[in-house]
Coordinates of all heavy atoms in Angstrom, one line a residue:
M119 N 0.8 -1.2 0.0 CA 0.0 0.0 0.0 C 0.9 1.2 0.0 O 1.8 1.4 0.8 CB -0.9 0.0 1.2 CG -1.8 1.2 1.3 SD -3.0 1.0 2.7 CE -2.4 2.2 3.8
K120 N 0.6 2.1 -0.9 CA 1.4 3.4 -1.0 C 0.6 4.5 -0.3 O -0.6 4.7 -0.6 CB 1.7 3.7 -2.5 CG 2.5 4.9 -2.6 CD 2.9 5.1 -4.1 CE 3.8 6.4 -4.1 NZ 4.4 6.6 -5.4
I121 N 1.3 5.2 0.5 CA 0.7 6.4 1.2 C 1.4 7.6 0.7 O 2.6 7.8 0.7 CB 0.9 6.3 2.7 CG1 0.3 5.0 3.2 CG2 0.4 7.5 3.4 CD1 0.6 4.7 4.7
A122 N 0.5 8.6 0.3 CA 1.1 9.9 -0.2 C 1.7 10.7 0.9 O 1.1 10.8 2.0 CB 0.0 10.7 -0.9
S123 N 2.9 11.1 0.7 CA 3.6 12.0 1.7 C 3.0 13.3 1.8 O 2.6 13.9 0.8 CB 5.1 12.1 1.4 OG 5.7 13.0 2.2
R124 N 2.8 13.8 3.0 CA 2.3 15.2 3.2 C 3.4 16.2 2.9 O 3.2 17.4 2.9 CB 1.8 15.4 4.6 CG 0.6 14.5 4.9 CD 0.0 15.0 6.1 NE -0.5 16.3 5.9 CZ -0.8 17.2 6.9 NH1 -0.6 16.8 8.1 NH2 -1.3 18.4 6.6
F125 N 4.6 15.8 2.7 CA 5.8 16.7 2.4 C 6.1 16.8 1.0 O 7.1 17.4 0.7 CB 7.0 16.2 3.3 CG 6.6 16.2 4.7 CD1 6.3 15.0 5.4 CD2 6.6 17.3 5.5 CE1 6.0 15.0 6.7 CE2 6.2 17.3 6.8 CZ 5.9 16.1 7.4
Q126 N 5.3 16.2 0.1 CA 5.6 16.3 -1.3 C 4.5 17.1 -2.0 O 3.3 16.7 -1.8 CB 5.8 15.0 -1.9 CG 7.0 14.2 -1.4 CD 7.1 12.8 -2.1 OE1 6.1 12.3 -2.6 NE2 8.3 12.2 -1.9
A127 N 4.8 18.1 -2.7 CA 3.8 18.8 -3.5 C 3.6 18.0 -4.8 O 4.5 17.4 -5.3 CB 4.2 20.2 -3.8
S128 N 2.3 18.0 -5.3 CA 2.1 17.3 -6.6 C 2.8 18.2 -7.7 O 2.8 19.4 -7.5 CB 0.6 17.1 -6.8 OG 0.0 18.4 -7.0
P129 N 3.3 17.6 -8.7 CA 3.9 18.3 -9.8 C 3.1 19.4 -10.4 O 3.6 20.4 -10.8 CB 4.3 17.3 -10.8 CG 4.2 16.0 -10.1 CD 3.2 16.1 -9.0
E130 N 1.8 19.1 -10.4 CA 0.9 20.1 -11.0 C 0.4 21.2 -10.1 O -0.3 22.1 -10.5 CB -0.3 19.4 -11.7 CG -1.2 18.6 -10.7 CD -0.7 17.2 -10.5 OE1 0.3 16.8 -11.2 OE2 -1.3 16.5 -9.7
S131 N 0.9 21.2 -8.8 CA 0.4 22.2 -7.9 C 1.0 23.5 -8.1 O 0.4 24.6 -7.8 CB 0.7 21.7 -6.5 OG 2.0 21.6 -6.2
G132 N 2.2 23.6 -8.6 CA 2.9 24.9 -8.9 C 3.3 25.6 -7.7 O 3.0 25.2 -6.5
A133 N 4.0 26.7 -7.9 CA 4.5 27.5 -6.7 C 3.5 28.7 -6.5 O 2.9 29.2 -7.4 CB 5.9 28.0 -7.1
V134 N 3.4 29.0 -5.2 CA 2.6 30.2 -4.8 C 3.5 31.1 -4.0 O 4.5 30.7 -3.4 CB 1.3 29.7 -4.1 CG1 0.4 28.9 -4.9 CG2 1.7 29.0 -2.8
Q135 N 3.0 32.3 -3.8 CA 3.7 33.3 -3.0 C 2.8 33.6 -1.8 O 1.5 33.7 -1.9 CB 4.0 34.5 -3.8 CG 5.1 34.3 -4.8 CD 5.6 35.6 -5.4 OE1 4.8 36.5 -5.7 NE2 6.8 35.7 -5.7
F136 N 3.4 33.8 -0.7 CA 2.7 34.3 0.5 C 3.6 35.2 1.3 O 4.8 35.3 1.1 CB 2.2 33.1 1.4 CG 3.3 32.2 2.0 CD1 3.7 32.4 3.3 CD2 4.0 31.3 1.2 CE1 4.7 31.6 3.8 CE2 5.0 30.5 1.7 CZ 5.4 30.7 3.1
Q137 N 3.0 35.9 2.3 CA 3.7 36.8 3.1 C 4.1 36.2 4.4 O 3.3 35.5 5.1 CB 2.9 38.1 3.4 CG 2.5 38.9 2.1 CD 3.8 39.5 1.5 OE1 4.5 40.2 2.2 NE2 3.9 39.3 0.2
Y138 N 5.3 36.5 4.9 CA 5.8 36.0 6.2 C 6.5 37.2 6.9 O 7.6 37.5 6.5 CB 6.7 34.8 6.0 CG 7.2 34.2 7.4 CD1 6.3 33.9 8.4 CD2 8.5 34.0 7.6 CE1 6.7 33.3 9.5 CE2 9.0 33.4 8.8 CZ 8.0 33.1 9.7 OH 8.5 32.5 10.9
D139 N 5.8 37.7 7.9 CA 6.3 38.9 8.5 C 6.8 40.0 7.5 O 7.8 40.6 7.7 CB 7.5 38.6 9.5 CG 7.0 38.0 10.8 OD1 5.7 38.1 11.1 OD2 7.8 37.5 11.6
G140 N 5.9 40.2 6.5 CA 6.2 41.2 5.5 C 7.1 40.8 4.4 O 7.3 41.6 3.4
E141 N 7.7 39.7 4.5 CA 8.6 39.2 3.4 C 7.8 38.3 2.5 O 7.0 37.4 2.9 CB 9.7 38.4 4.0 CG 10.8 38.0 3.1 CD 12.0 37.3 3.8 OE1 12.0 37.2 5.0 OE2 12.9 36.8 3.1
T142 N 8.0 38.4 1.2 CA 7.3 37.5 0.2 C 8.1 36.2 0.1 O 9.3 36.3 -0.3 CB 7.2 38.2 -1.1 OG1 6.4 39.4 -0.9 CG2 6.5 37.3 -2.1
L143 N 7.5 35.1 0.3 CA 8.1 33.8 0.2 C 7.4 33.0 -0.9 O 6.2 33.2 -1.2 CB 8.0 33.0 1.5 CG 8.6 33.6 2.7 CD1 8.6 32.6 3.9 CD2 10.0 34.1 2.5
T144 N 8.1 32.1 -1.5 CA 7.6 31.2 -2.6 C 7.7 29.8 -2.1 O 8.8 29.4 -1.6 CB 8.3 31.4 -3.9 OG1 8.2 32.8 -4.3 CG2 7.7 30.6 -5.0
A145 N 6.7 29.0 -2.3 CA 6.7 27.6 -1.9 C 5.7 26.8 -2.8 O 4.8 27.4 -3.4 CB 6.3 27.4 -0.4
P146 N 5.9 25.5 -2.9 CA 5.0 24.7 -3.7 C 3.6 24.8 -3.0 O 3.5 24.6 -1.8 CB 5.6 23.3 -3.6 CG 7.0 23.5 -3.3 CD 7.1 24.7 -2.4
A147 N 2.6 25.0 -3.8 CA 1.2 25.0 -3.2 C 0.9 23.7 -2.5 O 1.2 22.6 -3.0 CB 0.2 25.3 -4.3
G148 N 0.3 23.8 -1.4 CA -0.2 22.6 -0.7 C 0.7 21.9 0.3 O 0.3 21.1 1.0
I149 N 2.0 22.3 0.3 CA 2.8 21.7 1.3 C 2.5 22.3 2.6 O 1.9 23.4 2.7 CB 4.4 21.8 1.0 CG1 4.8 23.3 1.1 CG2 4.7 21.3 -0.4 CD1 6.3 23.5 1.1
P150 N 2.8 21.6 3.7 CA 2.5 22.2 5.0 C 3.3 23.5 5.2 O 4.4 23.6 4.8 CB 3.1 21.1 6.0 CG 3.1 19.9 5.2 CD 3.4 20.2 3.8
L151 N 2.6 24.5 5.7 CA 3.2 25.8 6.0 C 4.4 25.7 6.8 O 5.4 26.4 6.5 CB 2.1 26.7 6.6 CG 2.6 28.1 7.1 CD1 3.2 28.9 5.9 CD2 1.5 28.8 7.8
A152 N 4.4 24.8 7.8 CA 5.6 24.6 8.6 C 6.8 24.2 7.8 O 8.0 24.6 8.0 CB 5.4 23.6 9.7
A153 N 6.6 23.3 6.8 CA 7.7 22.9 5.9 C 8.2 24.0 5.1 O 9.4 24.2 4.9 CB 7.2 21.8 5.0
A154 N 7.3 24.9 4.6 CA 7.8 26.1 3.9 C 8.6 27.0 4.7 O 9.6 27.6 4.3 CB 6.6 26.8 3.3
L155 N 8.2 27.2 6.0 CA 8.9 28.1 6.9 C 10.3 27.5 7.3 O 11.3 28.2 7.3 CB 8.1 28.4 8.1 CG 6.8 29.1 7.9 CD1 6.0 29.4 9.2 CD2 7.0 30.4 7.1
L156 N 10.3 26.2 7.5 CA 11.6 25.6 7.8 C 12.5 25.7 6.6 O 13.7 25.9 6.7 CB 11.4 24.1 8.2 CG 10.8 23.9 9.6 CD1 10.4 22.4 9.7 CD2 11.7 24.3 10.7
A157 N 12.0 25.5 5.4 CA 12.8 25.5 4.2 C 13.3 27.0 4.0 O 14.4 27.2 3.4 CB 12.0 25.1 3.0
H158 N 12.5 27.9 4.4 CA 12.9 29.3 4.2 C 14.1 29.7 5.0 O 15.1 30.2 4.6 CB 11.7 30.2 4.5 CG 12.1 31.7 4.7 ND1 12.7 32.4 3.6 CD2 12.0 32.5 5.7 CE1 12.9 33.6 4.1 NE2 12.5 33.7 5.3
S159 N 14.0 29.5 6.3 CA 15.1 29.9 7.2 C 15.4 28.9 8.3 O 16.6 28.9 8.8 CB 14.7 31.3 7.8 OG 13.7 31.1 8.8
G160 N 14.4 28.2 8.7 CA 14.7 27.3 9.9 C 14.6 28.0 11.2 O 14.8 27.5 12.2
G161 N 14.4 29.4 11.1 CA 14.4 30.2 12.3 C 13.1 30.0 13.1 O 12.2 29.3 12.7
F162 N 13.0 30.6 14.2 CA 11.9 30.5 15.1 C 10.6 31.0 14.4 O 10.7 32.0 13.6 CB 12.1 31.1 16.4 CG 12.0 32.6 16.4 CD1 10.7 33.2 16.8 CD2 13.0 33.4 16.1 CE1 10.6 34.6 16.8 CE2 12.9 34.8 16.2 CZ 11.7 35.4 16.5
S163 N 9.5 30.4 14.6 CA 8.2 30.9 14.1 C 7.3 31.4 15.2 O 6.2 31.9 14.9 CB 7.5 29.8 13.2 OG 7.4 28.6 14.0
R164 N 7.7 31.1 16.4 CA 6.9 31.7 17.5 C 7.8 31.8 18.7 O 8.9 31.2 18.8 CB 5.7 30.9 17.9 CG 5.9 29.7 18.7 CD 4.6 29.0 19.2 NE 4.8 27.9 20.0 CZ 4.7 27.9 21.4 NH1 4.4 29.0 22.0 NH2 4.9 26.8 22.1
Q165 N 7.4 32.6 19.7 CA 8.1 32.7 21.0 C 7.1 32.4 22.1 O 5.9 32.8 22.0 CB 8.7 34.1 21.2 CG 9.9 34.4 20.5 CD 10.6 35.7 20.8 OE1 9.9 36.6 21.3 NE2 11.9 35.8 20.6
T166 N 7.5 31.7 23.1 CA 6.7 31.4 24.2 C 6.5 32.7 25.1 O 7.1 33.7 24.8 CB 7.3 30.4 25.1 OG1 8.5 30.9 25.7 CG2 7.7 29.1 24.4
A167 N 5.6 32.6 26.0 CA 5.3 33.7 26.9 C 6.6 34.1 27.7 O 6.8 35.3 28.0 CB 4.2 33.4 27.9
G168 N 7.5 33.2 27.9 CA 8.8 33.4 28.5 C 9.9 33.9 27.6 O 11.0 34.1 28.0
G169 N 9.5 34.1 26.3 CA 10.5 34.6 25.4 C 11.4 33.6 24.7 O 12.4 33.9 24.2
H170 N 11.0 32.3 24.8 CA 11.9 31.3 24.2 C 11.4 31.0 22.8 O 10.2 30.9 22.5 CB 11.8 30.0 25.1 CG 12.2 30.2 26.5 ND1 13.5 30.3 26.9 CD2 11.5 30.3 27.6 CE1 13.6 30.5 28.2 NE2 12.4 30.5 28.7
D171 N 12.4 30.9 21.9 CA 12.1 30.6 20.5 C 11.7 29.2 20.3 O 12.2 28.3 20.9 CB 13.4 30.9 19.7 CG 13.8 32.3 19.7 OD1 13.0 33.2 20.1 OD2 15.0 32.6 19.2
R172 N 10.7 29.0 19.4 CA 10.2 27.7 19.0 C 10.0 27.7 17.5 O 9.7 28.7 16.9 CB 8.8 27.4 19.7 CG 8.9 27.3 21.2 CD 9.6 26.1 21.7 NE 9.5 25.8 23.1 CZ 10.5 26.2 23.9 NH1 11.5 26.8 23.5 NH2 10.4 26.0 25.2
T173 N 10.0 26.5 17.0 CA 9.6 26.3 15.6 C 9.1 24.9 15.5 O 9.1 24.1 16.4 CB 10.8 26.5 14.6 OG1 10.3 26.6 13.3 CG2 11.9 25.4 14.7
A174 N 8.6 24.5 14.3 CA 8.0 23.2 14.1 C 8.9 22.1 14.6 O 10.1 22.1 14.3 CB 7.6 23.0 12.7
F175 N 8.3 21.1 15.3 CA 9.1 20.0 15.8 C 8.5 18.7 15.4 O 9.2 17.9 14.7 CB 9.2 20.1 17.3 CG 9.9 19.0 18.0 CD1 11.3 18.9 17.9 CD2 9.3 18.0 18.7 CE1 12.0 17.9 18.5 CE2 10.0 17.0 19.3 CZ 11.3 16.9 19.2
C176 N 7.3 18.4 15.7 CA 6.7 17.1 15.4 C 6.2 16.9 14.0 O 6.2 15.8 13.5 CB 5.7 16.7 16.5 SG 4.1 17.7 16.2
M177 N 5.7 18.0 13.4 CA 5.1 18.0 12.1 C 3.9 17.1 12.0 O 3.6 16.7 10.9 CB 6.2 17.6 11.0 CG 7.3 18.6 10.9 SD 6.9 20.3 10.5 CE 6.5 20.0 8.7
M178 N 3.2 16.9 13.1 CA 2.0 16.1 13.0 C 1.0 16.5 14.0 O 0.1 15.8 14.4 CB 2.4 14.6 13.3 CG 3.0 14.3 14.6 SD 3.4 12.5 14.7 CE 3.9 12.4 16.4
G179 N 1.0 17.8 14.4 CA -0.1 18.4 15.2 C -0.1 18.1 16.6 O -1.2 18.2 17.3
V180 N 1.0 17.7 17.2 CA 1.0 17.3 18.6 C 1.7 18.3 19.5 O 1.2 18.6 20.6 CB 1.7 15.9 18.8 CG1 1.8 15.5 20.2 CG2 0.9 14.8 18.0
C181 N 2.8 18.9 19.1 CA 3.6 19.6 20.0 C 3.2 21.1 20.1 O 3.6 21.8 21.1 CB 5.1 19.6 19.6 SG 5.5 20.5 18.1
F182 N 2.5 21.6 19.2 CA 2.1 23.0 19.1 C 3.3 24.0 19.2 O 3.1 25.2 19.5 CB 1.1 23.3 20.3 CG -0.2 22.7 20.1 CD1 -0.4 21.3 20.5 CD2 -1.3 23.4 19.6 CE1 -1.6 20.7 20.3 CE2 -2.5 22.7 19.3 CZ -2.7 21.4 19.7
D183 N 4.4 23.6 18.8 CA 5.5 24.5 18.7 C 5.5 25.3 17.4 O 6.3 26.2 17.2 CB 6.9 23.8 18.8 CG 7.2 23.5 20.3 OD1 6.7 24.2 21.1 OD2 8.1 22.7 20.5
C184 N 4.6 25.0 16.5 CA 4.6 25.6 15.2 C 3.5 26.7 15.1 O 3.3 27.2 14.0 CB 4.3 24.6 14.1 SG 2.7 23.8 14.3
L185 N 2.9 27.1 16.2 CA 1.8 28.1 16.1 C 2.3 29.4 15.5 O 3.3 30.0 15.9 CB 1.3 28.4 17.5 CG 0.6 27.2 18.3 CD1 0.2 27.6 19.7 CD2 -0.5 26.6 17.5
V186 N 1.5 29.9 14.6 CA 1.7 31.1 13.9 C 0.3 31.8 13.7 O -0.7 31.2 14.0 CB 2.3 31.0 12.5 CG1 3.8 30.5 12.6 CG2 1.6 30.0 11.6
E187 N 0.4 33.1 13.3 CA -0.8 33.8 12.9 C -1.0 33.7 11.4 O -0.1 34.1 10.7 CB -0.7 35.2 13.4 CG -2.0 36.0 13.1 CD -1.8 37.5 13.6 OE1 -1.5 37.7 14.8 OE2 -2.0 38.4 12.7
V188 N -2.2 33.2 11.0 CA -2.4 33.1 9.5 C -3.7 33.9 9.2 O -4.8 33.6 9.8 CB -2.6 31.6 9.1 CG1 -3.0 31.5 7.6 CG2 -1.4 30.8 9.4
D189 N -3.5 34.9 8.3 CA -4.6 35.7 7.9 C -5.4 36.3 9.1 O -6.6 36.3 9.2 CB -5.6 35.0 7.0 CG -4.9 34.6 5.7 OD1 -4.0 35.3 5.3 OD2 -5.4 33.6 5.1
G190 N -4.6 36.7 10.1 CA -5.2 37.3 11.3 C -5.7 36.3 12.4 O -6.2 36.8 13.4
I191 N -5.6 35.1 12.1 CA -6.1 34.1 13.1 C -4.9 33.5 13.9 O -4.0 32.8 13.3 CB -6.8 32.9 12.4 CG1 -8.0 33.5 11.6 CG2 -7.3 31.9 13.4 CD1 -8.8 32.6 10.7
P192 N -4.8 33.8 15.2 CA -3.7 33.3 15.9 C -3.8 31.8 16.3 O -4.9 31.2 16.0 CB -3.7 34.1 17.2 CG -5.2 34.5 17.4 CD -5.7 34.6 15.9
N193 N -2.8 31.2 16.8 CA -2.8 29.8 17.3 C -3.1 28.8 16.1 O -3.7 27.8 16.3 CB -3.8 29.6 18.4 CG -3.4 30.4 19.6 OD1 -2.2 30.5 20.0 ND2 -4.4 31.0 20.3
T194 N -2.6 29.1 14.9 CA -2.8 28.3 13.8 C -1.6 27.3 13.7 O -0.4 27.8 13.7 CB -2.9 29.1 12.5 OG1 -4.0 30.0 12.6 CG2 -3.1 28.1 11.3
Q195 N -1.8 26.0 13.7 CA -0.8 25.1 13.6 C -0.2 25.0 12.2 O -0.9 24.6 11.2 CB -1.3 23.7 14.0 CG -1.5 23.5 15.5 CD -2.0 22.1 15.8 OE1 -3.2 21.8 15.5 NE2 -1.2 21.3 16.4
A196 N 1.0 25.5 12.0 CA 1.6 25.6 10.6 C 1.8 24.2 10.0 O 1.7 24.1 8.8 CB 2.9 26.4 10.7
C197 N 2.0 23.2 10.8 CA 2.2 21.9 10.3 C 0.9 21.3 9.7 O 1.0 20.3 9.0 CB 2.9 21.0 11.3 SG 1.8 20.5 12.7
M198 N -0.2 21.8 10.1 CA -1.5 21.3 9.7 C -2.2 22.2 8.7 O -3.3 21.9 8.3 CB -2.4 21.1 10.9 CG -2.0 20.2 12.0 SD -2.2 18.5 11.4 CE -0.5 18.0 11.3
T199 N -1.5 23.2 8.2 CA -2.0 24.2 7.4 C -1.3 24.2 6.0 O -0.1 24.4 5.9 CB -1.9 25.6 8.0 OG1 -2.5 25.6 9.3 CG2 -2.5 26.7 7.1
P200 N -2.0 23.9 4.9 CA -1.4 23.9 3.6 C -1.1 25.3 3.1 O -1.8 26.2 3.4 CB -2.4 23.2 2.7 CG -3.6 22.8 3.5 CD -3.4 23.4 4.9
V201 N 0.0 25.4 2.5 CA 0.4 26.7 1.9 C -0.5 27.0 0.7 O -0.8 26.1 -0.1 CB 1.9 26.7 1.4 CG1 2.1 27.9 0.5 CG2 2.8 26.7 2.5
R202 N -1.0 28.3 0.7 CA -1.8 28.7 -0.4 C -1.4 30.1 -0.8 O -0.9 30.9 0.1 CB -3.3 28.6 -0.2 CG -3.8 29.3 1.0 CD -5.2 29.1 1.4 NE -5.5 29.4 2.7 CZ -5.4 30.6 3.2 NH1 -5.0 31.6 2.4 NH2 -5.6 30.9 4.5
G203 N -1.6 30.5 -2.0 CA -1.2 31.8 -2.5 C -1.9 32.9 -1.8 O -3.1 32.8 -1.5
G204 N -1.2 34.0 -1.4 CA -1.8 35.1 -0.8 C -2.0 35.1 0.7 O -2.4 36.1 1.3
M205 N -1.7 34.0 1.3 CA -1.9 34.0 2.7 C -0.9 34.9 3.4 O 0.2 35.1 2.9 CB -1.8 32.5 3.3 CG -0.5 31.9 3.2 SD -0.4 30.1 3.4 CE -1.5 29.8 4.8
V206 N -1.3 35.5 4.5 CA -0.5 36.4 5.3 C -0.1 35.7 6.6 O -1.0 35.5 7.4 CB -1.2 37.8 5.5 CG1 -0.3 38.7 6.4 CG2 -1.5 38.4 4.2
V207 N 1.1 35.4 6.8 CA 1.6 34.7 8.0 C 2.5 35.6 8.8 O 3.3 36.3 8.3 CB 2.4 33.4 7.6 CG1 2.8 32.6 8.8 CG2 1.5 32.6 6.6
R208 N 2.3 35.5 10.1 CA 3.1 36.3 11.1 C 3.6 35.4 12.2 O 2.9 34.5 12.6 CB 2.3 37.4 11.7 CG 1.9 38.4 10.6 CD 1.1 39.5 11.3 NE 1.8 40.0 12.4 CZ 1.7 41.3 12.9 NH1 0.9 42.1 12.3 NH2 2.3 41.6 13.9
R209 N 4.9 35.6 12.6 CA 5.3 34.9 13.8 C 4.4 35.3 15.0 O 3.9 36.4 15.0 CB 6.7 35.4 14.2 CG 7.8 34.8 13.3 CD 9.2 35.2 13.8 NE 10.2 34.6 13.1 CZ 10.9 35.1 12.0 NH1 10.5 36.4 11.7 NH2 11.8 34.5 11.4
Q210 N 4.3 34.3 15.9 CA 3.4 34.5 17.0 C 4.3 34.8 18.2 O 5.1 33.9 18.6 CB 2.5 33.3 17.2 CG 1.5 33.6 18.3 CD 0.4 32.6 18.3 OE1 -0.4 32.5 17.3 NE2 0.2 31.8 19.3
I211 N 4.3 36.0 18.8 CA 5.1 36.3 19.9 C 4.3 36.4 21.2 O 3.4 37.2 21.3 CB 5.8 37.7 19.6 CG1 6.5 37.7 18.3 CG2 6.8 38.0 20.8 CD1 7.6 36.7 18.1
G212 N 4.6 35.5 22.1 CA 3.9 35.5 23.4 C 2.5 34.8 23.2 O 2.3 34.1 22.3
L213 N 1.7 35.0 24.3 CA 0.4 34.3 24.3 C -0.6 35.0 23.5 O -0.6 36.2 23.3 CB -0.1 34.3 25.8 CG 0.8 33.5 26.8 CD1 0.2 33.7 28.2 CD2 0.9 32.1 26.4
R214 N -1.6 34.2 23.0 CA -2.8 34.7 22.4 C -4.0 34.2 23.1 O -4.0 33.2 23.7 CB -2.8 34.2 20.9 CG -1.7 34.7 20.0 CD -1.8 36.2 19.9 NE -0.9 36.8 18.9 CZ 0.4 37.1 19.2 NH1 0.8 36.9 20.4 NH2 1.2 37.6 18.3
R215 N -5.0 35.0 23.1 CA -6.3 34.6 23.7 C -6.9 33.4 22.9 O -6.8 33.4 21.7 CB -7.3 35.7 23.7 CG -6.9 36.8 24.7 CD -8.1 37.6 25.1 NE -7.7 38.5 26.2 CZ -7.5 39.8 26.0 NH1 -7.8 40.3 24.9 NH2 -7.1 40.5 27.0
L216 N -7.5 32.5 23.7 CA -8.3 31.5 23.1 C -9.6 32.1 22.7 O -10.2 32.9 23.4 CB -8.5 30.3 24.0 CG -7.2 29.6 24.4 CD1 -7.5 28.5 25.5 CD2 -6.5 28.9 23.2
K217 N -10.2 31.6 21.6 CA -11.5 32.1 21.1 C -12.5 31.8 22.2 O -12.6 30.6 22.6 CB -11.9 31.5 19.8 CG -13.1 32.0 19.2 CD -13.3 31.5 17.8 CE -14.5 32.1 17.2 NZ -14.8 31.6 15.9
G218 N -13.2 32.8 22.7 CA -14.2 32.6 23.7 C -13.7 32.5 25.1 O -14.4 32.3 26.0
G219 N -12.4 32.7 25.2 CA -11.7 32.6 26.5 C -11.9 33.8 27.4 O -12.5 34.8 26.9
S220 N -11.5 33.8 28.6 CA -11.6 34.8 29.5 C -10.6 36.0 29.2 O -9.6 35.7 28.6 CB -11.3 34.3 30.9 OG -11.1 35.4 31.8
D221 N -11.0 37.2 29.5 CA -10.1 38.3 29.3 C -9.1 38.4 30.4 O -8.2 39.3 30.4 CB -10.8 39.6 29.2 CG -11.6 39.7 27.8 OD1 -11.2 38.9 26.9 OD2 -12.5 40.5 27.7
V222 N -9.2 37.6 31.5 CA -8.3 37.7 32.6 C -6.9 37.2 32.3 O -6.7 36.3 31.6 CB -8.9 36.9 33.8 CG1 -7.9 37.0 35.0 CG2 -10.2 37.4 34.2
Ligands
FES348 S1 5.0 20.9 14.5 FE1 4.2 20.0 16.3 S2 2.1 20.7 16.3 FE2 3.0 21.5 14.5

């Protein structure tokens, strides 16, 4: 049984451009956003509340070290989000509120 890798873009998917902290990046459409960010620089994609740098680690939705802001939505798991053209991605610095959470 052959299983399609989530880390390979199909040949017909083509390249797309998206914004990352104001910089224009190019990546194959449909690959995980975390893979595109790792391929770009490998640098941190978020900082913890204590100021520690983090980037994608597990690549399977478990560790939450890949959280970024995508199109204004914080706490987005980059490893579970396919790259698409025109998306606006920002590093996530510090804590973000949970939707519907307390303001305290
Ligand atoms: S890299 Fe672990 S949850 Fe995304």
Side-chain angles (χ1 to χ4, degrees):
M119 179 170 112
K120 184 174 181 175
I121 299 173
S123 170
R124 296 194 62 203
F125 301 101
Q126 294 178 345
S128 67
E130 58 274 356
S131 61
V134 295
Q135 291 188 323
F136 64 99
Q137 297 292 311
Y138 182 51
D139 280 349
E141 185 178 357
T142 301
L143 304 185
T144 302
I149 68 167
L151 175 58
L155 297 180
L156 287 170
H158 166 61
S159 71
F162 76 95
S163 54
R164 79 172 183 101
Q165 282 186 338
T166 65
H170 301 285
D171 296 346
R172 296 287 187 266
T173 193
F175 178 71
C176 72
M177 297 298 286
M178 59 183 188
V180 176
C181 73
F182 290 82
D183 277 342
C184 63
L185 296 179
V186 290
E187 182 180 306
V188 176
D189 294 335
I191 301 173
N193 298 320
T194 301
Q195 288 178 287
C197 67
M198 298 286 112
T199 304
V201 168
R202 56 186 161 63
M205 66 195 317
V206 178
V207 182
R208 296 177 50 149
R209 284 187 175 94
Q210 188 165 297
I211 308 299
L213 296 176
R214 294 296 187 274
R215 288 204 173 104
L216 297 174
K217 188 174 183 180
S220 168
D221 286 342
V222 179

